Amino acid sequence: MEHTSVRRKWANWKFISFVVILIAIFIKFNVLDEHDENAAVTVELDLPQVALRSQQEVAAILGKGQLESYYRDAQADCEKCPRVSYRDGKVEITYINEIADQIRLNKLSDYAFENRIILGLLNLSENIAPNIDQGAVKTWDNYQKYSQITAFSKNGHVDYILIKSKTE
């Protein structure tokens, strides 16, 4: 008699284990967000090709730009530095000491506000955690050869990215 109760208990445990596995599979495929770390990321600006380049070199890569205004900053030793817009305002570059120094990438609301996606938009492959991660702002200080990369969020998506190539 006791022999059948052990079989019955074993059958119950197998059934319970089967149900737990089914619940785990359901949660994996239907509840959890998938973040494929190996998925391709869209490159919006090839930063290594643009940053620290002259206006002529940048124009060869991004096309003809439109002068928006002049930038003035005593700390950066800049009296009348040109701010040029490319690709219908998607890319704005301020040339300090005749090199592309401050770069702003706009119109990015289609992208999630995640480290790998932000860096991928700039064609930067090294996925380093930001120095500052405060909800709507992520900042990388001294990322490779760039002084600072800061991304700003709006409604959980990237609003714009500001890169300071050489200036602080």
Side-chain angles (χ1 to χ4, degrees), residues 4 38 102 113 118:
T4 57
N38 297 321
Q102 294 182 7
F113 194 64
I118 294 165

Side-chain angles (χ1 to χ4, degrees), residues 72-131:
R72 186 175 181 192
D73 185 357
Q75 184 180 5
D77 192 29
C78 178
E79 286 299 317
K80 193 175 179 185
C81 297
R83 178 176 284 147
V84 181
S85 173
Y86 298 91
R87 296 183 181 168
D88 297 323
K90 184 143 190 156
V91 179
E92 295 175 9
I93 300 177
T94 303
Y95 293 90
I96 299 175
N97 297 325
E98 299 180 13
I99 61 168
D101 195 331
Q102 294 182 7
I103 304 166
R104 181 175 163 150
L105 187 58
N106 300 307
K107 303 175 186 175
L108 301 170
S109 60
D110 294 339
Y111 301 102
F113 194 64
E114 297 176 14
N115 298 348
R116 189 181 68 81
I117 292 174
I118 294 165
L119 296 172
L121 289 169
L122 302 171
N123 199 20
L124 300 173
S125 58
E126 196 174 349
N127 193 2
I128 299 173
N131 300 72

Side-chain angles (χ1 to χ4, degrees), residues 44-53 58 62 71 82-84 86 89-96 99-106 108 121-122 145-146 148-152 160-167:
E44 287 290 333
L45 176 69
D46 193 352
L47 187 62
Q49 293 293 316
V50 173
L52 303 169
R53 307 283 180 179
V58 172
L62 298 178
Y71 177 75
R83 178 176 284 147
V84 181
Y86 298 91
K90 184 143 190 156
V91 179
E92 295 175 9
I93 300 177
T94 303
Y95 293 90
I96 299 175
I99 61 168
D101 195 331
Q102 294 182 7
I103 304 166
R104 181 175 163 150
L105 187 58
N106 300 307
L108 301 170
L121 289 169
L122 302 171
K145 63 182 177 183
Y146 311 106
Q148 188 177 68
I149 299 171
T150 305
F152 298 88
Y160 68 95
I161 302 172
L162 179 63
I163 302 103
K164 293 184 178 182
S165 301
K166 198 171 181 181
T167 59

Side-chain angles (χ1 to χ4, degrees), residues 13-14 17 19-20 27-29 34 48 56 61 66 74 76 78 84 92 94-95 101 117 129 146 149 152-153 155 161:
W13 278 109
K14 285 192 326 189
S17 300
V19 170
V20 168
I27 290 172
K28 164 75 173 128
F29 290 109
E34 281 200 34
Q56 293 77 20
I61 295 167
Q66 179 179 351
C78 178
V84 181
E92 295 175 9
T94 303
Y95 293 90
D101 195 331
I117 292 174
Y146 311 106
I149 299 171
F152 298 88
S153 170
N155 300 326
I161 302 172

